[in-house]
C-alpha cells in the first residue's frame, strides 16, 4: 500500500544528505563516510522509487496515478500552489532514471573526486541536485516543477564552478558557471510567462486541473500557442537547444561526474520531460509542435556537425548531448512522446556511460582532455575501453543495443508522420553521430600512443569501473523495453506510458504504430548509415591517418567554421552581451544616472544657491539701502491705501 | 503579560526603544559595553513583544487590531491613534527584528561617540515603528519626519568619506517631498470639515470615508503630493539618486536599516494612503507609475551590474527590487498586493543581509571596490556560503524568500485588469534575468578565481558574533521561501481589504471628470 | 492777510523730500542726522499749519512730542556715531556695512 511517507522520503533522503554533508561535512573528514552518505541517500531514494514503481505495476492501468499533497506552499487571493507530488507512469520513469543513474554516478564520484579538498562540498551539491531534480519530475503542479527547474540550475552553477579557482577555455570556471545560469534564466523567463498564461487561462497550476480543462479546448486555440511556445523557450534553455544551447559546452568546466549526471543524463532532459508532461497542451497547438520538431531536428544536425571536428573529449560528448536532445525534441514534435521519453532513458544510460568513461580516461591521462594527445589506451584501460565501445555502439544506433531501438523509433515516427525533411536531417545526423563517436573511440583508444613518457595511464579503481560495467549492461539491454511490434515485441515502454499521453494522442489523432514494410527498409537504412559512419571513422583514423589532415586543408574554411562552433558565442557576445554591458556602463550609469538625473538634483540645489546669491545683493550692510527699501514700502502701502 | 497590557501593546513596542534611548543618553560616554548592552536589550525586548503581537494577531479578521486612541489636539480632532492590520504587522516585526541585528552588527565598528549612535538607532526604530502603526495622519507625518533626524546624523557622523553630502542630500530630498504631503494632509483634513456633518479631522479611518468624494481635479493634486513624497522614499525612478549616495556613505547598520525598513515606509504609504484615499487619481496615474516601476526594475538592474563598488551594486539592486513592489501595488489585485507585501519583507531581509555581509568584509579590508577582492571563497568559505545564499535569495531563487514575492507580483501584474496589458509583467520578468547577472557576476569577481591580492590571503572567516548576526536572517530567508504561509496568512485579509476599499471607494464617486467608461464598467472583482 | 494752507504744506513737503534725499544719499553720518532733523521739522511745520488752519490745538501739542523725540533721537544717534568713530575711525556710512550676512 502506498503511503505518502514513502513518497516524501524519496525526496527527503537526498535533502537530508545535502544537509548533513553540507553542514557537517567539513568535520566528517573521512572520504568513505561522506561518499557513502551521499550515495546512500540517493541509493535509498532509488530503492523506494523501485518499490513505488512495483506497486504501480501491480495496479490496473487506469489507477496508476497517486497524488500526495504535503502542504500549501504559496497561496494568495485566488491563487494557490501546493507542495504536492504526482506519481504516475511518467514520473516513475524519470524517478528511476534520476535516482538509478544518479546512484551509479555518486558511487563513481567516490573514486573520481578522491583527494579533492572540497570532497564534502561536492557530495552535498550532488545530493541537492538530486533533490531538486526529483522535485522537478515528481511535482504535480507547474510551480513546484519550476522550483525544481531553477534548483537544478543552481546546482549546475555550483558544480560547474566547483573548482572555482581554475581557468577554463578563454575564461574561468566561474565564467562558465555564470553563463550556464544566466542562459538558463533567459529560458526561465519564457517559462514564467508560460506559467502566467496558464494561470490566466486555466486558473490553476496543477497539472490535472489544467489538463482536464484543456481537454475541452479546440485545437488551434491561440492562447495554447503562446503557452506552449513560452514553455518551450524554457525548454530550449534547460535542454540546450537552439538558440540557448551555448552554455552546455562551457559546462564541461565542471568535474566529469557532474557532466555525466547533470549535463547528460538528467538536468538537460528536464525540458524534454516538461514538454512530454504537457503533451496535451502541445497537441492543442500544432504550430508549436512543428516548432519543437524543427528546432529539435535542426539542433540535432547542427550540433553533430560541430562535434565532428572538436578535439576535447568532453566537448565532443557535450555536442553529442545537444544533438541527442535534438532527437528527443524531434520525437516530441512529431507526436511520438513515448519515443522521445524512451530516448531520454537510453540516452541517460549510454551518455552517462560515455562521460564516466571519459572521466576514467582523463584521470588516467593526468587531466589531459585533448584526444589528439591520446591513443592506444585500450591496452591500458581495458574495462573502460570495452564499456566505452558499448556506449559508442549504443549511441550510434547499432542493434541490438538500446540506442538503436530508441533512435530508430524516432526516425520511423518522423517519417511516418510525413516530416520527410526532418527525417532526412535526422538520418544524416545519425550518420554523423556514428562517425564522430567512433572518431573519438579510435583516436582515444586505438592506433599508436601520441602521449609521452611521464604519463602512466592505468585502469580506474573498481569504485569507478563497476558503475561503468553496470551502465554498459543497461545501455545494452534497455532496448528490450521498447521493441517495436514490427520486430515482434510488445513495446512495453510504450504501453506503460500510453495512459499519460492518451489525451494528447486522441487530440492529435495519430494512427497507431502498425508494422509496415517501409519500416524495415528504414530500419535497415539507419543501420546502414550508422555502419557507414563507423566505417568512415575507421578509414580516416585507423587505416589512412594522413587523410584527416588533407581534408582539413582542402576544406579549410568549413573546418574553421565548424571548429569555432559557427561563431555563435562570438555573435551573442557582440550582439547582446557587449552592448548591454557597455551600454549600461556608459549610457545608463554615467550619462543618465550621474550625468542627467543626479545633475538635475544637484542642479536644483545649486539653483537655490544662485537665487540666494542674487537676492543677497540687497543686504549691503549700509543703513541707507535699508532705509531706501523702507521708503519704497511706505510709498507702496500709501499708494495701495489711497487707490483702494 | 495580561490582556490589559495587550491593548496597549503597540505603545509598549514604541516605548521600549524610546526608553532605551533615554537610558543610554544618561549613561557616561565611557561605559561602552553597558551602552551597547542596553541598546541591544531594548531592541530585543521590543522584538519579543512584537513576536507576541504576531502570535496574538487574529488573521481571520479584516480591519485594524490593537487600536489605541487618545485625543491629542481636540479642536482639530488630532489624536494619538494607533492600530495595525496584517500588512503593518509584518513590517513592524521586520523593524523590530532588524534593529537588534543592526546593533549587533555594529558592535565593534563604531568607535567614537557610541552613546549618541546607539541612542539615535533606537530613536530611528521608534520613528519607523510609529510610521507603520499610526492611524492618524498628523501623527503619521510627525513620525515620518521624526525618522529623518536620526538617519541624517547617523549618516553624517559615522558615515564614509562623502557623508555630509550624502546626509544633506538624503535629508533635503526626502523632506522636500514630505512637505508637499503635509499640505495635502491639511487640505484633506480641511476638506473633511467642509463636508455636511463633518469637521476638521486627521483621523485616517474617518478620512477613508470622506476622501473618495473629493472632486477629481483636487484629488489629482492630493494624490500627486502624497505620491511624490512616497515615491522619493521608495525610491521610484527617476527620484532614486539619493539612494546610492546615502547607502554607500552610511555605516553598515545605517545601510541595513535604511534599505531594510526606511524604503518600505514609502511603499507602505502608497498602500495605506494613496490607494484607498484617492482611487480615481490612482487609476488615472496607474499606467505612468507602473511604467516608472518597470523602468526602475530594468534600469536599476543594469546600472547595478556595472558598479565597481560592491555597496553601490547592492544599493542599485534595491531600486530594482522595489520597482517590483510598486508594480505589484499598482496592479491592484490581491495576489500582486500580497506579493508586494511579502516582497517588502523579503527585500528587507535579503538586502539587509547583503549590506551586513558587505559591512563584514569592509571591516576587514576597508575597501568596497570589487577589484580589490577575488578568490575569497578559499579564505573565507563560511562567509562565501552565506553570501551565496543571500545573493540567490535576492535573485529570486524558488525555495528562498525572493521568489515568493516576485512570482506573486508578476502573476498579479500579468493578469491585472487595471494594468490592462501583460506587457508590464513581461518587462518586469526581464528583471529576473538581470538579477541573476548582476548578482552572480559580482559574486564571481569577489569570491571565485585565484586569490590575487596578498591582503586577501590573511582574512579571517566569520566570528561567532557575525554568525549570530547572519543566522537568524538566513533562517527567515529560508522560512519565507519554503513556508510563506506563516506570513502571507497574516496579511491576506489586509491585502484583500485594501483592494476592496479601493474598489468600493472608486465606485462610490458619482460622476468623474475622466472618461465616463471608468464608472459605468467597474472591473470584475477577482 | 494770511498765507494759504497749501503754501505751508508745500513747503513742508519740499523740506521733507529734501530731508529724505539727504538721508538716502549723503555719506557723512552727521549730515544724515541733520537731514533726519530736517524731516522731523518739516513734519512739525505741517502740524502747526494744520493746527492754525483747523483751529485745533492738538497739532501744536503734538509738535512738542515730536521735538522731544527728535532731541532724544539726536542724542542717542550721536552717541552711536561717536562709538562707531572710536572703532572704525570714520563716519562715512558707506564704510559701515557690517549689518549683513
Amino acid at each position: 500500500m502506498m503511503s505518502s511517507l514513502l513518497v516524501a522520503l524519496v525526496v527527503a533522503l537526498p535533502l537530508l544528505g545535502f544537509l548533513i554533508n553540507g553542514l557537517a561535512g567539513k568535520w566528517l573528514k573521512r572520504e568513505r563516510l561522506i561518499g557513502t552518505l551521499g550515495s546512500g541517500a540517493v541509493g535509498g531514494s532509488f530503492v523506494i522509487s523501485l518499490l513505488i514503481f512495483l506497486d504501480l505495476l501491480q495496479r490496473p492501468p487506469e489507477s496508476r496515478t497517486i497524488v500526495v499533497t504535503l502542504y500549501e506552499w504559496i497561496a494568495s487571493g485566488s491563487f494557490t500552489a501546493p507542495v504536492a507530488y504526482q506519481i504516475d507512469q511518467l514520473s516513475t520513469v524519470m524517478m528511476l532514471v534520476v535516482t538509478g543513474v544518479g546512484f551509479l554516478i555518486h558511487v563513481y564520484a567516490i573514486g573520481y573526486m578522491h583527494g579533492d579538498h572540497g570532497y564534502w562540498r561536492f557530495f552535498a551539491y550532488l545530493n541537492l541536485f538530486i533533490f531538486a531534480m526529483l522535485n522537478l519530475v515528481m511535482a504535480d503542479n507547474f510551480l513546484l516543477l519550476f522550483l525544481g527547474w531553477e534548483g537544478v540550475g543552481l546546482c549546475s552553477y555550483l558544480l560547474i564552478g566547483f573548482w572555482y579557482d581554475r581557468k577554463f577555455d578563454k575564461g574561468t570556471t566561474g565564467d562558465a558557471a555564470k553563463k550556464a545560469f544566466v542562459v538558463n534564466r533567459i529560458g526561465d523567463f519564457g517559462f514564467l510567462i508560460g506559467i502566467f498564461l496558464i494561470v490566466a487561462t486555466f486558473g490553476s497550476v496543477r497539472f490535472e486541473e489544467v489538463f482536464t480543462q484543456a481537454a475541452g479546448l479546440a485545437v488551434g486555440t491561440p492562447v495554447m500557442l503562446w503557452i506552449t511556445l513560452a514553455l518551450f523557450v524554457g525548454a530550449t534553455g534547460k535542454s540546450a537547444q537552439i538558440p540557448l544551447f551555448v552554455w552546455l559546452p562551457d559546462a564541461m568546466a565542471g568535474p566529469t561526474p557532474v557532466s555525466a549526471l547533470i549535463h547528460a543524463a538528467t538536468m538537460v532532459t528536464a525540458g524534454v520531460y516538461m514538454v512530454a508532461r504537457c503533451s496535451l497542451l502541445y497537441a492543442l497547438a500544432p504550430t508549436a509542435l512543428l516548432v519543437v520538431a524543427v528546432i529539435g531536428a535542426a539542433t540535432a544536425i547542427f550540433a553533430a556537425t560541430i562535434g565532428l571536428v572538436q578535439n576535447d573529449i568532453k566537448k565532443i560528448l557535450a555536442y553529442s548531448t545537444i544533438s541527442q536532445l535534438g532527437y528527443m525534441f524531434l520525437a516530441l514534435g512529431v507526436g511520438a512522446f513515448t519515443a522521445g521519453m524512451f530516448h531520454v532513458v537510453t540516452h541517460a544510460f549510454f551518455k552517462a556511460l560515455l562521460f564516466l568513461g571519459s572521466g576514467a580516461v582523463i584521470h588516467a591521462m593526468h587531466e589531459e582532455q585533448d584526444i589528439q594527445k591520446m591513443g592506444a589506451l585500450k591496452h591500458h584501460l581495458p574495462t573502460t575501453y570495452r564499456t566505452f565501445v558499448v556506449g559508442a555502439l549504443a549511441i550510434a544506433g547499432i542493434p541490438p543495443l538500446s540506442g538503436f531501438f530508441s533512435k530508430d523509433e524516432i526516425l520511423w515516427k518522423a517519417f511516418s508522420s510525413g516530416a520527410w525533411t526532418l527525417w532526412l536531417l535526422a538520418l544524416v545526423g545519425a550518420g554523423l553521430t556514428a562517425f564522430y563517436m567512433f572518431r573519438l573511440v579510435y583516436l582515444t583508444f586505438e592506433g599508436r600512443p601520441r602521449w609521452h613518457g611521464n604519463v602512466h595511464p592505468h585502469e580506474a579503481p573498481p569504485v569507478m569501473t563497476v558503475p561503468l560495467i553496470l551502465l554498459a549492461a543497461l545501455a545494452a539491454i534497455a532496448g528490450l523495453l521498447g521493441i517495436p511490434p514490427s520486430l515482434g515485441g510488445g513495446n512495453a515502454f510504450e504501453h506503460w506510458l500510453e495512459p499519460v499521453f492518451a489525451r494528447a494522442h486522441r487530440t492529435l489523432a495519430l494512427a497507431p504504430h502498425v508494422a509496415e514494410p517501409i519500416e524495415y527498409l528504414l530500419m535497415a537504412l539507419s543501420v546502414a548509415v550508422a555502419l557507414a559512419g563507423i566505417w568512415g571513422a575507421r578509414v580516416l583514423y585507423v587505416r589512412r591517418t594522413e587523410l584527416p589532415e588533407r581534408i582539413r586543408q582542402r576544406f579549410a574554411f568549413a573546418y574553421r567554421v565548424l571548429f569555432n562552433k559557427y561563431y555563435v558565442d562570438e555573435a551573442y557576445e557582440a550582439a547582446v552581451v557587449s552592448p548591454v554591458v557597455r551600454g549600461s556602463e556608459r549610457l545608463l550609469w554615467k550619462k543618465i544616472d550621474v550625468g542627467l538625473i543626479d545633475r538635475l538634483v544637484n542642479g536644483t540645489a545649486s539653483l537655490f544657491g544662485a537665487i540666494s546669491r542674487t537676492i543677497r545683493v540687497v543686504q549691503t550692510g549700509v543703513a541707507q539701502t535699508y532705509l531706501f527699501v523702507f521708503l519704497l514700502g511706505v510709498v507702496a502701502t500709501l499708494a495701495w491705501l489711497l487707490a483702494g | 503579560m495580561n490582556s490589559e497590557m495587550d491593548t496597549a501593546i503597540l505603545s509598549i513596542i514604541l516605548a521600549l526603544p524610546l526608553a532605551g534611548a533615554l537610558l543610554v543618553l544618561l549613561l557616561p560616554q565611557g561605559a561602552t559595553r553597558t551602552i551597547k548592552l542596553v541598546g541591544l536589550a531594548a531592541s530585543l525586548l521590543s522584538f519579543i513583544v512584537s513576536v507576541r503581537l504576531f502570535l496574538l494577531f487574529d488573521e481571520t479578521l479584516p480591519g485594524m487590531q490593537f487600536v489605541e486612541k487618545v485625543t491629542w489636539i481636540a479642536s482639530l480632532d488630532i489624536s494619538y491613534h494607533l492600530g495595525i492590520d496584517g500588512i503593518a504587522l509584518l513590517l513592524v516585526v521586520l523593524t523590530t527584528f532588524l534593529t537588534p541585528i543592526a546593533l549587533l552588527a555594529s558592535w565593534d565598528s563604531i568607535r567614537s561617540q557610541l552613546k549618541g549612535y546607539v541612542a539615535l538607532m533606537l530613536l530611528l526604530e521608534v520613528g519607523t515603528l510609529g510610521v507603520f502603526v499610526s492611524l492618524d495622519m498628523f501623527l503619521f507625518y510627525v513620525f515620518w519626519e521624526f525618522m529623518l533626524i536620526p538617519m541624517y546624523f547617523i549618516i553624517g557622523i559615522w558615515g564614509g568619506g562623502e557623508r555630509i553630502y550624502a546626509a544633506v542630500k538624503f535629508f533635503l530630498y526626502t523632506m522636500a517631498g514630505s512637505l508637499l504631503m503635509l499640505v495635502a494632509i491639511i487640505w484633506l483634513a480641511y476638506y473633511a470639515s467642509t463636508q455636511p456633518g463633518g469637521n476638521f479631522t486627521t483621523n485616517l479611518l474617518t478620512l477613508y470615508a470622506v476622501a473618495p468624494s473629493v472632486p477629481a481635479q483636487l484629488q489629482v493634486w492630493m494624490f500627486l503630493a502624497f505620491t511624490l513624497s512616497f515615491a522619493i522614499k521608495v525610491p521610484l525612478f527617476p527620484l532614486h539618486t539619493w539612494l546610492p549616495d546615502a547607502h554607500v556613505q552610511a555605516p553598515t547598520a545605517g545601510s541595513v536599516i535604511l534599505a531594510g525598513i526606511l524604503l518600505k515606509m514609502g511603499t507602505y504609504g502608497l498602500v495605506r494612503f494613496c490607494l484607498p484615499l484617492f482611487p480615481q487619481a490612482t487609476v488615472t496615474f496607474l499606467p505612468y507609475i507602473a511604467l516608472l516601476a518597470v523602468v526602475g526594475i530594468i534600469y536599476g538592474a543594469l546600472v547595478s551590474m556595472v558598479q565597481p563598488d560592491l555597496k553601490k551594486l547592492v544599493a542599485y539592486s534595491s531600486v530594482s527590487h522595489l520597482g517590483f513592489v510598486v508594480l505589484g501595488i499598482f496592479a491592484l489585485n490581491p495576489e500582486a498586493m500580497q506579493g508586494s507585501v511579502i516582497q517588502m519583507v523579503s527585500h528587507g531581509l535579503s538586502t539587509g543581509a547583503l549590506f551586513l555581509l558587505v559591512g563584514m568584509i569592509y571591516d576587514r579590508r576597508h575597501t568596497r571596490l570589487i577589484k580589490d577582492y577575488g578568490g575569497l571563497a578559499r579564505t573565507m568559505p563560511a562567509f562565501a556560503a552565506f553570501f551565496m545564499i543571500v545573493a540567490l535569495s535576492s535573485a529570486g531563487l524558488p525555495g528562498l524568500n525572493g521568489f515568493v514575492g516576485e512570482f506573486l507580483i508578476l502573476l498579479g501584474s500579468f493578469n491585472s485588469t487595471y494594468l490592462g496589458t501583460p506587457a508590464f509583467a513581461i518587462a518586469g520578468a526581464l528583471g529576473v534575468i538581470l538579477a541573476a547577472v548582476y548578482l552572480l557576476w559580482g559574486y564571481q569577481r569577489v569570491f571565485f578565481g585565484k586569490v590575487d591580492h596578498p591582503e586577501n590571503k590573511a582574512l579571517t572567516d566569520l566570528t561567532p558574533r557575525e554568525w549570530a548576526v547572519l543566522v537568524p536572517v538566513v533562517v527567515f530567508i529560508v522560512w519565507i521561501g519554503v513556508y510563506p504561509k506563516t506570513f502571507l496568512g497574516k496579511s491576506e485579509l489586509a491585502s484583500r481589504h485594501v483592494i476592496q476599499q479601493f474598489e468600493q471607494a472608486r465606485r462610490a464617486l458619482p460622476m468623474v471628470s475622466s472618461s465616463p467608461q471608468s464608472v459605468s464598467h467597474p472591473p470584475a472583482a477577482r | 492777510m494770511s498765507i494759504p494752507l497749501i503754501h505751508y504744506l508745500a513747503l513742508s513737503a519740499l523740506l521733507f523730500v529734501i530731508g529724505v534725499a539727504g538721508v538716502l544719499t549723503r555719506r557723512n553720518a552727521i549730515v544724515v542726522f541733520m537731514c533726519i532733523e530736517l524731516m522731523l521739522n518739516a513734519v512739525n511745520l505741517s502740524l502747526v499749519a494744520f493746527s492754525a488752519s483747523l483751529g485745533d490745538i492738538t497739532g501744536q501739542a503734538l509738535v512738542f512730542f515730536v521735538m522731544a523725540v527728535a532731541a532724544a533721537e539726536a542724542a542717542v544717534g550721536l552717541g552711536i556715531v561717536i562709538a562707531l568713530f572710536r572703532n572704525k575711525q570714520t563716519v562715512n556710512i558707506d564704510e559701515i556695512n557690517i549689518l549683513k550676512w
Side-chain angles (χ1 to χ4, degrees), chain B residues 86-201:
Chain B
I87 301 175
L89 173 71
L90 290 179
L91 292 171
V92 164
V93 178
L94 178 70
T95 309
T96 54
F97 174 72
L98 279 182
T99 308
I101 300 254
L103 281 173
L104 197 55
S106 48
W107 202 256
D108 288 324
S109 40
I110 304 290
R111 303 289 157 81
S112 64
Q113 295 167 282
L114 182 68
K115 196 164 89 162
Y117 179 82
V118 174
L120 284 170
M121 287 287 282
L122 289 172
L123 286 175
L124 188 59
E125 185 180 6
V126 173
T128 50
L129 283 171
V131 163
F132 293 134
V133 303
S134 292
L135 286 183
D136 181 288
M137 300 197 64
F138 187 76
L139 188 67
F140 169 83
Y141 186 78
V142 168
F143 278 119
W144 180 273
E145 296 292 299
F146 179 68
M147 69 69 199
L148 281 184
I149 301 165
M151 198 72 235
Y152 168 76
F153 281 118
I154 290 177
I155 299 177
I157 302 180
W158 293 277
E162 298 255 322
R163 57 187 182 274
I164 305 290
Y165 168 74
V168 173
K169 192 173 180 182
F170 160 76
F171 190 87
L172 288 180
Y173 213 140
T174 315
M175 171 155 272
S178 44
L179 280 174
L180 288 171
M181 178 167 74
L182 180 62
V183 171
I185 291 176
I186 296 175
W187 203 348
L188 189 58
Y190 167 74
Y191 181 83
S193 67
T194 64
Q195 295 302 97
N199 55 307
F200 187 96
T201 173

Side-chain angles (χ1 to χ4, degrees), chain C residues 9-58:
Chain C
L9 294 182
L11 178 60
S12 172
L14 189 60
L15 286 176
F16 192 84
V17 168
I18 292 173
V20 170
V23 165
L24 291 180
T25 52
R26 295 302 296 253
R27 275 174 300 143
N28 194 317
I30 311 281
V31 176
V32 168
F33 274 111
M34 284 163 54
C35 294
I36 292 176
E37 291 299 312
L38 187 55
M39 284 161 65
L40 286 166
N41 282 313
V43 171
N44 282 343
L45 179 59
S46 79
L47 277 171
V48 169
F50 271 116
S51 167
S53 158
L54 296 175
D56 189 345
I57 203 71
T58 319

Side-chain angles (χ1 to χ4, degrees), chain B residues 40-374:
Chain B
L40 190 62
S43 51
L44 271 177
L45 269 174
S46 195
F47 174 63
I48 293 171
V49 176
S50 74
V51 168
R52 181 177 166 78
L53 176 69
F54 188 85
L55 295 170
L56 285 175
F57 188 86
D58 186 341
E59 62 188 54
T60 59
L61 298 172
M64 301 291 164
Q65 298 180 27
F66 299 101
V67 177
E68 302 172 35
K69 191 163 190 267
V70 175
T71 311
W72 185 4
I73 306 174
S75 54
L76 297 174
D77 197 12
I78 296 177
S79 24
Y80 175 81
H81 192 181
L82 306 179
I84 49 163
D85 66 352
I87 301 175
L89 173 71
L90 290 179
L91 292 171
V92 164
V93 178
L94 178 70
T95 309
T96 54
F97 174 72
L98 279 182
T99 308
I101 300 254
L103 281 173
L104 197 55
S106 48
W107 202 256
D108 288 324
S109 40
I110 304 290
R111 303 289 157 81
S112 64
Q113 295 167 282
L114 182 68
K115 196 164 89 162
Y117 179 82
V118 174
L120 284 170
M121 287 287 282
L122 289 172
L123 286 175
L124 188 59
E125 185 180 6
V126 173
T128 50
L129 283 171
V131 163
F132 293 134
V133 303
S134 292
L135 286 183
D136 181 288
M137 300 197 64
F138 187 76
L139 188 67
F140 169 83
Y141 186 78
V142 168
F143 278 119
W144 180 273
E145 296 292 299
F146 179 68
M147 69 69 199
L148 281 184
I149 301 165
M151 198 72 235
Y152 168 76
F153 281 118
I154 290 177
I155 299 177
I157 302 180
W158 293 277
E162 298 255 322
R163 57 187 182 274
I164 305 290
Y165 168 74
V168 173
K169 192 173 180 182
F170 160 76
F171 190 87
L172 288 180
Y173 213 140
T174 315
M175 171 155 272
S178 44
L179 280 174
L180 288 171
M181 178 167 74
L182 180 62
V183 171
I185 291 176
I186 296 175
W187 203 348
L188 189 58
Y190 167 74
Y191 181 83
S193 67
T194 64
Q195 295 302 97
N199 55 307
F200 187 96
T201 173
T202 54
N203 184 336
L204 184 61
L205 301 176
T206 320
L207 289 175
Y208 275 157
V210 167
S213 59
V214 172
Q217 257 315 96
L218 192 56
Q219 209 185 90
V220 163
W221 289 111
M222 287 189 186
F223 176 83
L224 282 177
F226 270 87
T227 309
L228 183 69
S229 173
F230 297 136
I232 293 175
K233 205 87 186 103
V234 168
L236 189 66
F237 180 89
L239 301 167
H240 64 281
T241 49
W242 63 269
L243 186 78
D245 290 307
H247 265 131
V248 172
Q249 299 304 324
T252 303
S255 298
V256 171
I257 302 288
L258 184 54
I261 304 165
L262 261 64
L263 301 185
K264 313 304 175 302
M265 288 163 57
T267 50
Y268 173 78
L270 288 170
V271 173
R272 180 65 77 227
F273 299 101
C274 294
L275 258 59
L277 288 174
F278 313 118
Q280 296 300 125
T282 303
V283 174
T284 313
F285 285 101
L286 197 133
Y288 306 108
I289 298 183
L291 181 64
L292 286 177
V294 169
V295 169
I297 293 175
I298 298 184
Y299 178 90
L302 286 175
V303 177
S304 175
M305 186 167 67
V306 295
Q307 293 302 319
D309 180 326
L310 197 55
K311 221 171 171 189
K312 250 195 185 156
L313 190 151
V314 181
Y316 276 108
S317 82
S318 284
V319 177
S320 189
H321 283 125
L322 285 162
F324 275 105
V325 176
V326 175
L327 180 65
I329 292 175
F330 283 93
L332 293 169
N333 60 37
E335 292 85 18
M337 184 64 73
Q338 276 287 72
S340 290
V341 171
I342 203 77
Q343 180 73 347
M344 285 190 225
V345 177
S346 299
H347 174 263
L349 292 171
S350 299
T351 308
L354 279 175
F355 278 118
L356 286 170
L357 289 162
V358 172
M360 285 173 195
I361 196 125
Y362 180 80
D363 283 342
R364 287 162 168 76
R365 286 264 282 128
H366 293 290
T367 170
R368 283 184 309 259
L369 295 175
I370 294 179
K371 66 175 169 60
D372 288 334
Y373 293 109

Side-chain angles (χ1 to χ4, degrees), chain A residues 15-79:
Chain A
L15 181 64
L16 207 57
F18 160 69
L19 287 172
I20 296 179
N21 266 330
L23 293 172
K26 214 163 170 193
W27 294 276
L28 287 176
K29 299 252 181 203
R30 302 272 228 53
E31 281 187 4
R32 287 277 144 172
L33 182 58
I34 296 172
T36 316
L37 258 170
S39 313
V42 182
S45 289
F46 175 69
V47 168
I48 302 178
S49 303
L50 201 55
L51 289 173
I52 295 176
F53 171 72
L54 291 172
D55 178 277
L56 282 191
L57 206 53
Q58 286 162 6
R59 300 178 183 209
E62 321 79 56
S63 60
R64 283 181 180 158
T65 306
I66 306 160
V67 176
V68 172
T69 308
L70 288 185
Y71 68 92
E72 195 182 46
W73 182 26
I74 299 182
S76 169
S78 56
F79 174 79

